[in-house]
Amino acid sequence: MTLSPPPADTPAAHALALLGELGAGRLPHPGGDLATHLRRVHSQLATWGARPALQLAGLCHAFYGTDGFPTALLPLPRRAELAAVIGEEAEELVYLYASCDRPATYPGLADPEAPFHDRFTGTTTLPSLAARRDFAEISAANELDLAAHDPDFRAAHGPDLLALFTRVSSLLSPAAWADCQAVLAGPLPGSPEGPPPSCGVPSAG
């Protein structure tokens, strides 16, 4: 996947500058470092046709840490700083993604009446269908990038991720769901059938 820099003086450019200030480029991550991973997630969401706020949320989804990546770049009391850079809509999606207690939330994610468990506060909410769709789309972009750049991660977690995204396929855009199948259901690297698609995910078009 080719990563072109965003236009200057845009929210994405300012978010990348903040990521640099907070050391995201120095944190190891599959496929390079955390900053590069976040840029790829941003680019993948753009390829899928996500609106700008969702793209920005994908770029910044790890600012507060996640249930799978505990390192936080910015403490929660400083949420207003991120909102000032990417806007309130995108920042709220970043918080939603970061706050998810995955083991408690994933089983009912596609059910609009199932609770969403906040790991920061210990409370539950009922996000709107639109918010659940956004959460699922960021999740797919994040996990597919990990699977594409870390064969061991894909071997260990690919089947479970495919099962998860199959359960929530109604929440995903057609392009995201197609890529989930292409990346997670394809043969593993080194198998006789050949490697899975790269993060560019040709089926996205």
Side-chain angles (χ1 to χ4, degrees):
M1 175 180 288
T2 301
L3 297 173
S4 301
D9 200 26
T10 61
H14 295 313
L16 283 173
L18 183 57
L19 283 167
E21 293 172 12
L22 296 174
R26 299 190 296 273
L27 290 174
H29 203 276
D33 54 65
L34 178 61
T36 302
H37 163 68
L38 295 174
R39 291 182 65 197
R40 290 196 303 258
V41 171
H42 177 258
S43 182
Q44 183 64 84
L45 288 165
T47 299
W48 289 342
R51 68 190 188 283
L54 184 53
Q55 294 178 38
L56 287 169
L59 177 62
C60 299
H61 73 264
F63 259 79
Y64 309 137
T66 72
D67 206 359
F69 187 78
T71 302
L73 300 174
L74 203 64
L76 291 177
R78 295 172 61 185
R79 287 181 60 185
E81 295 179 33
L82 182 58
V85 173
I86 64 174
E88 291 185 2
E89 179 188 3
E91 191 279 330
E92 287 174 0
L93 288 173
V94 172
Y95 179 87
L96 181 72
Y97 186 83
S99 71
C100 181
D101 179 334
R102 295 177 182 180
T105 300
Y106 277 2
L109 183 60
D111 180 356
E113 301 302 320
F116 189 99
H117 297 259
D118 187 319
R119 68 188 181 94
F120 296 134
T121 66
T123 60
T124 60
T125 59
L126 289 177
S128 67
L129 177 59
R132 290 175 187 265
R133 290 184 185 280
D134 289 341
F135 177 90
E137 201 83 347
I138 296 172
S139 297
N142 175 61
E143 302 294 358
L144 292 188
D145 184 72
L146 294 175
H149 287 87
D150 187 341
D152 290 337
F153 174 90
R154 182 173 178 267
H157 302 291
D160 287 340
L161 287 172
L162 182 59
L164 167 66
F165 292 128
T166 298
R167 291 198 308 272
V168 303
S169 60
S170 62
L171 300 177
L172 295 170
S173 66
W177 171 228
D179 289 347
C180 286
Q181 297 172 87
V183 173
L184 299 173
L188 289 167
S191 69
E193 294 83 358
S198 69
C199 189
V201 194
S203 61

